[in-house]
Amino acid sequence: MRADSGLNRLVYEYFEARILYGYYKYGESLPSINKICQMFHLAQATVRAGLALLEKGGYVRVDPRTAPVVVYKAGPAGFRESAARYFVSRKAGIADWVLSGKLLFEPLWRECLMRWSDEDWKRFLDNMKHLSVESVSMPAELYILVFKAPHNRLFLNLYWETVRYIRFAYLMVRKDQAVLTDQELEGLSREEVISLLGQTFETLYGRITADLLSFIAQAQDEFDLGDMEQVPFYWNIYRKRPQMRYTLVSRILREIERGDYPRGTYLPSLPCMAQRYEVSFNTVRRSLSILDSMGITRSLQGKGTLVLAEAEKADLANPEIREGMKLYLDSLQLMTLTIKPVVQYTLENATADAVEKLQYDVRQLGKNRNGYKIFEVVLTFIAENCRLNLVKECYNKLRELIVWGYPIALLRLREREFHMEYNDMVDQAGRYLGEGNAEAFSGSVKESMGREYQEVRIFLESADTRQ
């Protein structure tokens, strides 16, 4: 594993939090490098990169021959105030996470655990039964092990960003860990163990969250932080990628899809686009280059960029196109696993006007032969009406990625099929909405999303073999 893989940040933030909040005090030693490698299941190069960040931040002194030593100084009051300022500013987000996490992460980790190899499963159970004082907290263990199973970077990224935001997962100590005994596990199937884990974690997190919210309530008065500005959760899906150009490509694709830039017409000039989207000329150029490689546009010298009347073959060998398509596939898989509980929750808690608008939008898709926009309509409904900010942030970002499927749909379906493919899906969704059956509607969306994921995956794999 490369030292710059991103997991070095996990090592850094884990120990930074524990130092800032007094778990490790001035003059004390962190675990040895070999021990940290075992804790996080990481290579030495990755661990050393994380420790180098801690040393640069003034938290530890690193000696190649001994364990890192804490050099950060603060008294008990300083530790308490550091914790207060961090958590009070995230009070709303932590309260929101309690239910958001159940909707988003429970279905993900259940699915990932079911896919584990027997070897990984046995190692996980052994870790659960033999946690030591220096064991990495179970949420971090889940991050390292569970979400690697499907090789979906969005799973990893979303969980990591959430753990980084709430942070108390880094601060769990031995008494907070979920330990399962041989007696509890004896005779249980994997599915039964996963259900038991779910119940154990729900109880554990409920207690920890209640304690944390109680601390926040006290700290607000103690440090006069009652009016402290709240820091919302932000999901950075492009941590190692050039975010601006991918975001701009998504915006232009959406505008082409809905007819703002009709096929056969030219996009605005480079200066106009730079001004309209508030980005640099270079960002516009790179974004248009990606659209050309996708087969959606063609840049013509002295004329501008033409929106093609018929989609051309995408250059799937282009690294930027492959990256975008991989993110699109990852987003479909993530939504397939989470969209049913998310849609059902949003429907059951939305206003009557919002539900009526959703019914109208779905009916219009059928009338206007725009059935392929069904996912866009559903994601927009979630982003605008879900009461949970973490879910809204997540699905807003997924809505940005889902539009990358538009050129793929144009390529894999002929013009007539492009609309017919989604007609039955739209009719069924409209019928369930009309009946007020939130569970059936959310189930039909999940089924359709799963089918889309499988068909797109097969199409891209076959395209790879033809390259």
Side-chain angles (χ1 to χ4, degrees):
M1 180 176 291
R2 300 193 319 271
D4 64 349
S5 63
L7 286 171
N8 61 316
R9 296 289 306 182
L10 179 63
V11 175
Y12 167 76
E13 289 167 0
Y14 184 84
F15 286 109
E16 180 201 38
R18 292 194 157 213
I19 292 169
L20 279 176
Y21 307 142
Y23 185 92
Y24 292 107
K25 299 180 177 62
Y26 176 78
E28 294 181 346
S29 296
L30 302 187
S32 68
I33 289 177
N34 286 338
K35 179 61 180 177
I36 296 173
C37 290
Q38 294 171 13
M39 289 166 62
F40 289 90
H41 312 284
L42 296 176
Q44 277 204 9
T46 305
V47 169
R48 290 185 185 280
L51 293 176
L53 291 175
L54 286 168
E55 187 169 41
K56 184 177 180 181
Y59 295 112
V60 301
R61 182 180 67 253
V62 179
D63 186 324
R65 296 164 295 180
T66 60
V69 176
V70 176
V71 296
Y72 176 81
K73 290 183 179 181
F79 292 137
R80 185 171 173 82
E81 185 171 359
S82 293
R85 290 191 175 279
Y86 186 86
F87 290 117
V88 168
S89 66
R90 289 158 178 81
K91 176 183 177 181
I94 290 168
D96 179 274
W97 174 83
V98 174
L99 185 51
S100 293
K102 191 172 182 64
L103 295 178
L104 292 175
F105 297 118
E106 186 172 318
L108 289 181
W109 73 263
R110 282 180 181 273
E111 176 72 14
C112 292
L113 284 172
M114 289 301 295
R115 294 186 185 192
W116 264 3
S117 68
D118 290 340
E119 181 181 350
D120 285 339
W121 178 250
K122 183 179 183 300
R123 182 174 66 174
F124 178 71
L125 291 183
D126 286 342
N127 288 344
M128 292 293 292
K129 291 184 289 187
H130 303 107
L131 291 170
S132 68
V133 173
E134 290 186 340
S135 291
V136 67
S137 68
M138 190 50 59
E141 181 86 1
L142 280 169
Y143 165 73
I144 296 163
L145 295 177
V146 175
F147 293 108
K148 282 186 177 180
H151 305 291
N152 184 314
R153 287 173 299 171
L154 289 182
F155 287 18
L156 281 165
N157 185 277
L158 177 60
Y159 188 76
W160 180 21
E161 293 290 337
T162 307
V163 168
R164 295 178 70 219
Y165 175 77
I166 60 175
R167 249 190 194 194
F168 66 76
Y170 294 150
L171 306 178
M172 293 169 67
V173 294
R174 180 67 175 83
K175 67 182 180 63
D176 293 324
Q177 302 281 40
V179 182
L180 298 179
T181 65
D182 286 322
Q183 290 78 11
E184 289 176 299
L185 297 175
E186 186 177 359
L188 296 182
S189 66
R190 184 181 295 202
E191 191 168 345
E192 289 170 331
V193 173
I194 291 172
S195 294
L196 178 60
L197 280 172
Q199 296 166 14
T200 304
F201 286 148
E202 188 171 350
T203 301
L204 173 64
Y205 279 128
R207 187 182 74 242
I208 293 172
T209 304
D211 290 346
L212 181 57
L213 291 175
S214 175
F215 165 76
I216 289 172
Q218 296 172 17
Q220 283 179 316
D221 295 333
E222 183 177 344
F223 298 102
D224 194 23
L225 302 175
D227 296 328
M228 195 171 191
E229 184 178 354
Q230 290 295 293
V231 177
F233 171 74
Y234 175 76
W235 185 18
N236 182 4
I237 59 175
Y238 298 109
R239 180 162 296 280
K240 298 178 71 178
R241 293 173 284 275
Q243 177 169 355
M244 191 62 72
R245 83 179 66 144
Y246 282 100
T247 300
L248 182 55
V249 168
S250 296
R251 285 189 65 180
I252 297 172
L253 276 173
R254 178 168 286 111
E255 289 166 350
I256 291 173
E257 179 187 3
R258 71 186 180 207
D260 294 356
Y261 300 129
R263 292 191 229 176
T265 65
Y266 283 87
L267 295 177
S269 67
L270 195 72
C272 287
M273 294 188 77
Q275 183 177 14
R276 174 176 179 176
Y277 298 112
E278 298 180 338
V279 296
S280 68
F281 280 19
N282 187 53
T283 297
V284 176
R285 287 193 189 96
R286 295 298 299 270
S287 300
L288 294 179
S289 174
I290 293 173
L291 288 168
D292 283 1
S293 297
M294 293 174 83
I296 296 297
T297 63
R298 184 185 300 152
S299 296
L300 303 172
Q301 186 70 31
K303 291 186 177 181
T305 300
L306 177 68
V307 180
L308 298 175
E310 296 290 337
E312 297 181 348
K313 183 179 179 181
D315 179 11
L316 296 179
N318 182 315
E320 291 177 314
I321 301 300
R322 294 185 68 85
E323 180 70 18
M325 293 307 169
K326 177 63 170 72
L327 284 171
Y328 170 59
L329 264 185
D330 286 352
S331 68
L332 284 176
Q333 187 182 32
L334 193 155
M335 286 186 289
T336 297
L337 295 174
T338 62
I339 201 162
K340 182 177 180 180
V342 167
V343 168
Q344 187 168 344
Y345 172 85
T346 306
L347 268 176
E348 291 173 348
N349 291 277
T351 65
D353 287 346
V355 175
E356 186 176 337
K357 182 179 185 301
L358 176 63
Q359 291 175 324
Y360 173 80
D361 289 343
V362 171
R363 287 197 302 269
Q364 291 301 109
L365 293 179
K367 289 181 180 178
N368 298 330
R369 300 178 71 239
N370 286 332
Y372 65 94
K373 294 183 179 180
I374 181 65
F375 298 137
E376 170 76 13
V377 167
V378 173
L379 296 187
T380 300
F381 171 74
I382 294 169
E384 292 179 352
N385 296 284
C386 187
R387 296 183 180 183
L388 301 171
N389 287 327
L390 194 156
V391 173
K392 289 178 72 170
E393 171 68 10
C394 173
Y395 270 77
N396 257 323
K397 288 297 194 301
L398 294 174
R399 181 170 168 259
E400 179 180 308
L401 295 175
I402 201 75
V403 75
W404 282 72
Y406 174 65
I408 294 297
L410 287 174
L411 287 170
R412 70 184 180 88
L413 301 169
R414 293 191 300 273
E415 185 68 20
R416 176 178 174 277
E417 291 176 336
F418 186 59
H419 302 288
M420 296 297 292
E421 175 85 0
Y422 301 91
N423 274 0
D424 290 343
M425 182 193 316
V426 171
D427 290 343
Q428 184 183 61
R431 185 168 65 255
Y432 289 141
L433 279 175
E435 295 168 355
N437 193 336
E439 183 174 5
F441 174 77
S442 58
S444 71
V445 174
K446 172 185 169 68
E447 181 182 347
S448 300
M449 192 75 74
R451 186 166 56 248
E452 185 83 358
Y453 168 73
Q454 293 298 338
E455 291 178 356
V456 171
R457 182 179 60 80
I458 291 169
F459 174 82
L460 291 175
E461 287 175 355
S462 64
D464 278 344
T465 62
R466 295 194 299 266
Q467 288 283 327

